[in-house]
Amino acid sequence: MSFYRKLSFMALSTAAVALLAATPADARVDGDIITLGAALSLTGKYTTAGNHTKKGYELAIKSINAKGGVKVGGKSYKLKMKFYDDESNPARGAQLAERLIKQDGIKFMLGPYSSGLTKAIAPVTEKHKIPMVEGNGSSRSLFNKGYKYLFAVLSTANQYLEEAIPMAAEYAKMKGKKPSSVKIAMAFENDPFSQDVRLGVIEKAKKFGMKVIIDDKLPPEINDMASTLNKVRALKPDLLVVSGHSKGAALVIRQRKQMKVKVPLLAITHCESAKVNDAKKYGKGAAEGTLCATQWAPDMSYKDRVFGDAPNYTSNFKKAYGYVPPYQAAESSAAVYVYARAFEIANSFDSAKIRQALADFNEETFYGRVKFAPEGNNIAKPMVLRQIQNNKYVPVAPLNAAVGKLQIN
Amino acid sequence: MIDNFLLLFQAPTVAVQTLIDGILIGAILALAAYGMALVWGVMNIINIVQGELVILGGYITLTLANMTGIHPLWTVPIAAVVMYFIGYGIYKIVIHRVVDEDMFISILATFGISIILQQLMDQVFGADIQSADTGFDSWGYLDDAITLSQIHVISLVIVIVLATFLVLYLKRSKMGRAIRATAQDARAARIMGVDTDHVYATTYALNAAICGAAGSLVVMTWIIHPFLGLAYTVRSFLIVIVAGLGNMVGVIIAGLGLGAAEQYASFLIGIEFRVAFVFLLMVVILIWRNILLSKERRYLK
């Protein structure tokens, strides 16, 4: 009766596995330590941004712990992070999320870097009903799946370069032309984030009746975009919009200068991570006049209890890591902060209660106001557009946050 | 796609610019490809780590230029020399153990080295996108409708000088003769008193030096990143299978041709299909070569 023997063996081993899986359920809060889990891109194509994310998380945890930690039920808890390297690979990210939840007993997840990875991990956290607060996945497709446990502190990807369109309209008016006469050239990487940025731009352009004359998709392993710039030179658009993470930003800045391509307005993402105003990398003034989309800028005036205001956060970050925090770091810190506040508001470690606290969250952080839509995206914070003027970032849009005026060369 | 095609005729300057860009890119690709052809021809190893050696050369230039403040152009020979020794080291540590083995094993070994190098570069130099500015301008013609970047032209000149040097080295020098002899028949060369192990080491080191110089040019003309090496490996591979082994002129022509074809392809069918185009071309050429080969066999029967 080997069949029955097999069957009973299987039943036994299943029970054993179930038991094993059940034991570490309390690992999330161990003594006075709350462990947050994360998959981080420490190698692979998102290494740069992945490290910003990691530092953002670490600084927030350090700062919160230094301020007395998280108070739940009259007791003070310290935060800790458990993370694995996801190699910038979505499939790996999903595996690691399973591992964090099932093996390590993590009950509170922080997001990975990039929309692609968040998209891979969200179904896992959703399945296990584990809240995930993330600051680095802004693709719209994350917020139309009906996820209940996903909360993003950042503005969605489609908002990134939207502001460039009213700007182009303004430019047309300055030239005595109609906004609908504006011609737009676009080059977006073929990934969820950049394609969402593209959709936002297209939708906004439609409202003004503007025409898209170039619509290129950049491959992920791009190392040259001369052919796109060549088209731009021949077709003379008024506005060139490019988004392809750091690589796309670096290439357009470098090759625009090399090829002497003149376009009145250039709007891109990832200026900070590509360090586009670094003269050693791209030459003097290579990025002059470029409009850069940013989630957050160090000179903004938002405040919270732990970090003080944005300039204060910036100086703390600089002291710890030796460079000015890019927004990828700030939004990661904000995610940890929001989590910590949610524990306090819920006054419990029950997932459902914490989820509710997050859903009702409405507070200002050093990163901007955070209030989640039912879909999980932050609807209280606008995107900022900064122009590089005399090699410095000057916020020019939206108008209420603007420090300087748009310059056209 | 049709629009793009028409644009080539409406604005002929675009067609010219595409050709120029393609050729200037192709020159650097040809350099890396020649190194690959050398290793392949002499040692029967497909060097998958080629692209990482290129990127590493770029990082050497970048580090030297940032640390000492000298103009990046002067670091091209230094990068080549440093990479020569790194190549020698890689040979002594790994390659000499697999050089007489099956090709599959050497592919695995070099693939492994490429992963190690990627991660090492990531750890040592960081994962930021890097580039080094040379301060050179571009020449513009017809009211800047056609531009010629000076650093690209200088790169082309350097590639030509290096290629000439290599051809002369292989033809005239004693070591060059030994390398050619080993490529023809390693066993016979050994019987004739050629120290083939030394020849292999020199060949591999020479290839690394070539890659170092190429990488140095890449960081001055485009961008580098620890994980961008594959682009150069794939293109080198393609150029070598088109041009054949041990054919310097063929490699250069194939390199320039691939550069131009790639530019036209990404202009016409869209830049997102650029890499797909390279792979498609590779498959087509491999099939074509196979057909030619099978014909030959039939003839011999």
Side-chain angles (χ1 to χ4, degrees), chain A residues 43-44 47-48 217 219 224 227 230-231 233-234 247 250 254-255 258-260 262 275 280-283, chain B residues 17-18 119 122 127-133 138 144-145 147 152 219-222 227 263 271-272 274:
Chain A
T43 56
T47 316
T48 314
K217 280 196 184 109
D224 167 66
S227 67
N230 207 350
K231 272 183 227 170
R233 180 155 60 196
K247 252 181 276 177
R254 172 139 241 203
Q255 294 197 298
Q258 263 178 9
M259 296 175 69
K260 294 192 172 189
K262 289 187 191 75
K275 301 200 176 79
K280 254 195 189 158
K281 281 187 165 183
Y282 308 100
Chain B
Q17 180 76 56
T18 306
Q119 302 299 346
D122 191 17
D128 283 338
I129 298 282
Q130 297 286 7
S131 66
D133 189 63
S138 298
D144 285 349
T147 50
H152 275 113
V219 75
M220 286 187 273
T221 45
W222 296 289
F227 302 102
Q263 282 295 326
I271 194 164
E272 76 258 44
R274 184 181 184 139

Side-chain angles (χ1 to χ4, degrees), chain A residues 303-329:
Chain A
K303 282 187 181 66
D304 66 37
R305 290 184 317 137
V306 169
F307 301 105
D309 53 7
N312 196 27
Y313 173 81
T314 307
S315 70
N316 282 347
F317 190 95
K318 224 175 153 184
K319 223 182 279 160
Y321 304 110
Y323 64 101
V324 175
Y327 68 78
Q328 286 91 344

Side-chain angles (χ1 to χ4, degrees), chain B residues 175-191:
Chain B
M175 192 55 179
R177 204 159 55 222
I179 290 175
R180 282 184 294 133
T182 310
Q184 272 180 14
D185 190 334
R187 205 162 138 241
R190 226 171 286 149
I191 292 166

